[in-house]
């Protein structure tokens, strides 16, 4: 009876650890994408900031380009960079949560094994 319960717990932990590792990897990929988007926005911001006030600046909207003021484009780029930083923070928190959840499951399994050892020893 105890062996079946332990075997089931080990199988559940293995499945959970594989699933969690996959999710953590996906979160890492999303963080990398957000970092790239933020860096792109910051670099574009610096380049647009260097242009003179008379330079015509266009924003891509679907398949067309719309003439925008420098201030509007700079504000949009600031917003994109800020959104990327916020997304990265949320994803990092999600990653920490997933890691904690996995460790809690491992600890619960260890406690189960220890309790079974003490019951068998008695």
């Amino acid at each position: 009876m105890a062996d079946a319960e332990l075997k089931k717990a080990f199988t559940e932990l293995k499945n959970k650890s594989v699933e969690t590792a996959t999710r953590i990897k996906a979160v890492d990929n999303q963080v990398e994408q957000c970092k790239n988007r933020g860096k792109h926005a910051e670099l574009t911001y610096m380049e647009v900031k260097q242009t003179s006030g008379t330079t015509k600046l266009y924003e891509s909207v679907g398949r067309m380009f719309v003439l925008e003021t420098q201030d509007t484009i700079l504000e949009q780029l600031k917003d994109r960079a800020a959104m990327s930083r916020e997304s990265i923070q949320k994803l990092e928190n999600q990653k920490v949560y997933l890691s904690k959840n996995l460790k809690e499951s491992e600890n619960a399994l260890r406690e189960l094994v220890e309790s079974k050892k003490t019951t068998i020893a008695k």
Side-chain angles (χ1 to χ4, degrees), residues 1-10 112 116-117 119-120:
M1 178 69 180
D3 290 336
E5 187 178 348
L6 284 174
K7 187 174 183 179
K8 181 180 176 187
F10 277 116
L112 178 65
K116 295 298 178 186
K117 280 184 183 177
T119 340
I120 292 173

Side-chain angles (χ1 to χ4, degrees), residues 72-88:
T72 304
I73 290 180
L74 289 175
E75 190 62 35
Q76 290 173 352
L77 291 170
K78 276 187 202 176
D79 290 344
R80 283 186 203 153
M83 285 181 7
S84 291
R85 285 190 294 274
E86 288 174 14
S87 295
I88 289 169

Side-chain angles (χ1 to χ4, degrees), residues 45-85:
Y45 178 86
M46 289 189 302
E47 289 298 319
V48 170
K49 187 88 170 157
Q50 293 176 1
T51 61
S52 67
T54 60
T55 305
K56 291 185 178 183
L57 299 172
Y58 294 89
E59 178 188 10
S60 133
V61 179
R63 299 176 91 184
M64 67 179 181
F65 294 94
V66 178
L67 182 63
E68 291 286 352
T69 64
Q70 182 182 18
D71 293 335
T72 304
I73 290 180
L74 289 175
E75 190 62 35
Q76 290 173 352
L77 291 170
K78 276 187 202 176
D79 290 344
R80 283 186 203 153
M83 285 181 7
S84 291
R85 285 190 294 274

Side-chain angles (χ1 to χ4, degrees), residues 23-33 92 95:
R23 290 169 113 185
I24 288 174
K25 195 171 194 177
V27 167
D28 284 338
N29 289 338
Q30 289 175 337
V31 165
E32 196 62 36
Q33 288 174 351
E92 290 294 339
K95 186 177 171 182

